[in-house]
Amino acid sequence: MSDYQAPIKDMLFAMRELAGLEEINQLPAFGEATPDLVEAVLEEASQLAAEVIAPINRIGDEKGTVVEDGGVRVPEEFSAAYRQFTAGGWSGVSMPAEFGGQGLPYLVGLGVEEMIQSACLAWSLCPLLTEGAVRALQEHGDPALQGLLMEKLVSGEWTGTMNLTEPQAGSDLALLRSQAEPDGDGYRVTGQKIYITWGDHDMTDNLVHLVLARLPDAPEGVKGLSLFAVPKYLVGPDGAVGEANAVKVVSIEHKLGIHGSPTCVLAFEGAFGYLVGGPHEGLACMFTMMNHARLSVGLEGVSISERAYQLALAYAKDRVQGRVHGVEGAVTIIHHPDVRRMLLHMKACIEGMRALVYVAGGHLDMAHNHPDPAAREREHTRVALLTPIVKGWCTEMSQQLTSIGLQVHGGMGYVEEAGAAQHFRDARITTIYEGTTGIQAGDLIGRKILRDRGAALTSLIADIAASDAELAAHGERLAVIRQALAASRADIAGAAEWLAGNVSGDASVPGAVSFNFLMLSGTLLAGWYLAQSAAIASERLAAGADDRSFYEAKIVTARFYAEQMLPLTGAYRKAIQAGGDSIMALSEEQF
Amino acid sequence: MSDYQAPIKDMLFAMRELAGLEEINQLPAFGEATPDLVEAVLEEASQLAAEVIAPINRIGDEKGTVVEDGGVRVPEEFSAAYRQFTAGGWSGVSMPAEFGGQGLPYLVGLGVEEMIQSACLAWSLCPLLTEGAVRALQEHGDPALQGLLMEKLVSGEWTGTMNLTEPQAGSDLALLRSQAEPDGDGYRVTGQKIYITWGDHDMTDNLVHLVLARLPDAPEGVKGLSLFAVPKYLVGPDGAVGEANAVKVVSIEHKLGIHGSPTCVLAFEGAFGYLVGGPHEGLACMFTMMNHARLSVGLEGVSISERAYQLALAYAKDRVQGRVHGVEGAVTIIHHPDVRRMLLHMKACIEGMRALVYVAGGHLDMAHNHPDPAAREREHTRVALLTPIVKGWCTEMSQQLTSIGLQVHGGMGYVEEAGAAQHFRDARITTIYEGTTGIQAGDLIGRKILRDRGAALTSLIADIAASDAELAAHGERLAVIRQALAASRADIAGAAEWLAGNVSGDASVPGAVSFNFLMLSGTLLAGWYLAQSAAIASERLAAGADDRSFYEAKIVTARFYAEQMLPLTGAYRKAIQAGGDSIMALSEEQF
């Protein structure tokens, strides 16, 4: 038996009850994605994850990747798993059917992606980057370029990469210096890119690098960036792989975790590339990739935490140590209240995080596919608001949760053989890549809250308020949850009001309060979804549903979260309302 | 210049203004430890730390340790540093003068220890364990045994180890199975011990293992444990090192961090040993070692966080990225409010944690050396209450702080070469060894709060309340701090009252609330010490002190902590007052 079992029941609960799967399935774009089909897809994917991908996780961590003869070599087990993955059509689950994908809702793709990420985070990054490239080409590429590249990428025959960062330009893309010169029907791209995830490997015959660079007449700053598709090997008009392009692997990084994922320094030395989108429209193209990737990385926070939870839970059910009141002899450590607290903390947060990501995914399906333009706009606004919270909060939580998973193991957790340490190391990248937590928090405050004067946030708070009557209907059973949620809702409303009243006088305020605002938002939203889950569970129990154990656990889990997590919103609110004075008061020398 | 500079100014501030160094210096036991001498000792130690020990930190991480020819080999650089350490007499800074130590206050020893730990945590564990062995032998060994071993250990010519854990017995020492049989004027010890820090190495000619084992007639459980001193090489009556004892290095662990510290599995195969203390009194002897070691590990939380802070701060002052309002062009990232927030969070927490450890150290000096028995008893009660908070809270905080240190580096933080990842990995052991956070929390609630019906805690809360008038005297300047501290004091009082009223009816309550009680206590105490620091700083500024920059920073730092950290006590209190119902509600299958 694999040491990873996909939590399909909770995934389906979140998709159906919270993220609107049934409504999405009825959209014209997904006429054939019946609920039964979704369940079958998830079941099949869970086998792939457990039997093919989960076993390579440790191997990738221990073997790592190497540069040989100018290219990156990954463990053979990785290539073997990749062959099974593409042979099963898994690369294209939610990718466009016109290019050979399965065309299922993005939401369903998230479920498959969660399993793959839980099974092996390092490996899962390769398909993730490919999917980002597909979405950028689909939205911004011209038909000729799509014809040349899309089918190969959708099938996974080739993989994609995302080339943004340069040594002097990480979070600040305005500082990018890579150049592109027109040459015949294409361009010659020159520059050095760093932190290129799966920037080279030997799993496929070709790779397509999407590269941000500047055309000769480009304006300064981010408005002068253009996006280029640069294949590793040149591609003939018939799609055949030809000679090597002028892209060199300079080195790979020696990292804390995700050792199985090669993080490359790439040198583009007049490499031939195709323009994606218009000149100087690179930023918009990049945001298409990035917004997708940010939801995926938020999901990584869920996935790696779920894997860590399963490992800690198995250990807690097996390890005998200590005694408890009312039980004869030594007990397994899951009997100890403090160990149960740790496990329940993981479980409750993970279920809340999963709901948050899936709900965002559901909104994205609606934003892309709803027949009513006004509904699309509304859904787009909501997913834009949720995206930095998904990315920022879920990955921040994954630091805490994988650390608790290690802690449950005691001394064994610190020994690499136990596996808990790998999850802890692997998780650590998630708050950094695809925009650090600080970048997400800045996006939330600046672009998503202040720019529309809080309209999107106000609408979200109103939706949360609308749950109150529903919770009230369940009386005492959900009273603790209802009360805690109302208090947290008042916290976000109060914080938002304070922000509106204090932002104009002090330029440091948005940056000073952004992290706490992001944490407040994520903590509250997960609590809201868990509260809704508890209400649904309570209804099902009242209606005599079969699976009483699952629904009872949902209520307990939501109550635990309301007791232990939701009170944090009060602390975040106070920190926000303290503003930026203390933060800005010290000189550099006083630090 | 070294990349570590000891924060001597803040250390001395905490020792003098908060931990009572002057009063301790005037105790008969320390008549010669004048303030000037203390400062000179710290200055000299800081050079050793920066120039000799800090440079070996990365080397130990990269080279690690190996088992060769039945023994552990450590990097030669570690041995060279150890020779300089012992040659300078640093091994015995606060160890008894009668056995060749410098006999300085424990508090001063803590200052030296912090520097050594910051410089290289893995290496520092060797002297730490030796000091634990010295204290156990000093308190419980008979004069003959002391005569045989003490001078060698105090000088560091030999090192000491602590052998508690066995595969089936980690947190629960009742499960220990190692045996000891009388043999002539000694004993023969048999059993396997795991997680033995610095359990073997080639830095010295001999080691002394302190080993818990059972005599033939021993009662079951922890009351049947005896402590034995088992040298690696047999010791002649003249102290000469003789033949190898029957102790084998079975293996060393492959760990997440502290790679330079060999963590051994040792097999005692009828090894000759000396009884320390009386038969079946091993637990008391062990607690002598452990209480000392717990303060030291709490200090490790401070030390590793301080090193991580210095690295992050240097990076933030150097790395150019992004723009801020009011400054032309790209800026170093310390200009960004969210980066300043991270750095100030580290700084404020570290200063609060340092104060907590040093205050506990000061109480320990008083508890051991005050001429008045009633005062000794009072001081002992206070340090017993603080010890689990020092160990549990400071190490939990170090997880968060070293993680923030890495985060400040962005992508570079995830690359091992930057060094931030090593601090993050090294810190991760501190919440586990010397008793996990769960064990500390259980000790706090059970032995330190419930056993005396809250008397020690009530006395501490009264002391905190007594600060209020002092803070009030500074008016508006400290009003934010005063208000936050009062709210947090109400939180701990409320939580304690709830605990007293709810503990008798439900056996799960202590374990269910213990972690949150520990976190509440630590958060509050650090805030209290920072508030006192701010009041002192405010006085000095009013009196026209020279070092205005330092004192102004103290006030800002305390205010930041009051704004951002103290509000957490409200959340901890709510979690405590939720009790154990949710935590105990799920069956094993429902997790």
Side-chain angles (χ1 to χ4, degrees), chain B residues 94-305:
Chain B
S94 63
M95 294 202 217
E98 61 174 308
F99 296 106
Q102 294 191 38
L104 287 169
Y106 177 75
L107 177 57
V108 179
L110 276 180
V112 175
E113 193 173 9
E114 181 189 323
M115 298 175 194
I116 305 294
Q117 291 175 350
S118 287
C120 182
L121 184 61
W123 185 91
S124 76
L125 299 175
C126 189
L128 185 160
L129 270 298
T130 303
E131 190 176 345
V134 164
R135 297 201 187 268
L137 287 168
Q138 182 186 8
E139 204 154 317
H140 304 281
D142 61 39
L145 188 60
Q146 289 179 342
L148 197 67
L149 303 177
M150 282 288 273
E151 281 194 22
K152 308 272 190 180
L153 288 168
V154 168
S155 69
E157 186 178 338
W158 300 349
T159 69
T161 75
M162 208 164 140
N163 289 247
L164 282 57
T165 306
E166 298 175 9
Q168 79 290 350
S171 295
D172 184 2
L173 296 174
L175 303 176
L176 289 178
R177 289 202 285 251
S178 289
Q179 304 275 328
E181 300 267 349
D183 180 25
D185 55 350
Y187 296 83
R188 293 283 166 188
V189 177
T190 301
Q192 195 177 75
K193 295 288 183 177
I194 63 171
Y195 300 146
I196 309 309
T197 298
W198 284 91
D200 194 53
H201 61 82
D202 55 355
M203 300 202 305
T204 59
D205 294 337
N206 207 1
L207 282 83
V208 179
H209 304 293
L210 293 189
V211 187
L212 280 183
R214 293 178 190 283
L215 288 166
D217 56 345
E220 285 198 358
V222 291
K223 289 176 181 168
L225 299 172
S226 305
L227 187 69
F228 300 88
V230 180
K232 175 180 176 182
Y233 293 102
L234 297 173
V235 181
D238 57 348
V241 172
E243 281 178 27
N245 203 350
V247 186
K248 282 195 183 147
V249 179
V250 177
S251 59
I252 53 176
E253 306 293 351
H254 174 217
K255 305 187 301 295
L256 173 60
I258 52 168
H259 293 160
S261 164
T263 304
C264 301
V265 178
L266 295 182
F268 294 86
E269 302 175 339
F272 184 82
Y274 309 89
L275 184 65
V276 182
H280 319 317
E281 290 177 1
L283 203 66
C285 302
M286 198 204 59
F287 266 112
T288 299
M289 280 191 286
M290 270 194 355
N291 280 330
H292 160 266
R294 284 176 175 183
L295 291 181
S296 286
V297 175
L299 181 65
E300 289 175 12
V302 181
S303 310
I304 191 78
S305 301

Side-chain angles (χ1 to χ4, degrees), chain A residues 51-68:
Chain A
E51 291 162 21
V52 176
I53 302 175
I56 66 173
N57 191 43
R58 178 72 63 81
I59 294 168
D61 188 55
E62 289 175 349
K63 289 192 179 174
T65 65
V66 289
V67 179
E68 268 182 10

Side-chain angles (χ1 to χ4, degrees), chain B residues 23-45:
Chain B
E23 205 187 337
I24 292 165
N25 278 335
Q26 285 159 20
L27 292 173
F30 306 116
E32 292 171 37
T34 64
D36 283 356
L37 176 63
V38 169
E39 205 159 332
V41 166
L42 292 181
E43 285 289 351
E44 211 180 319

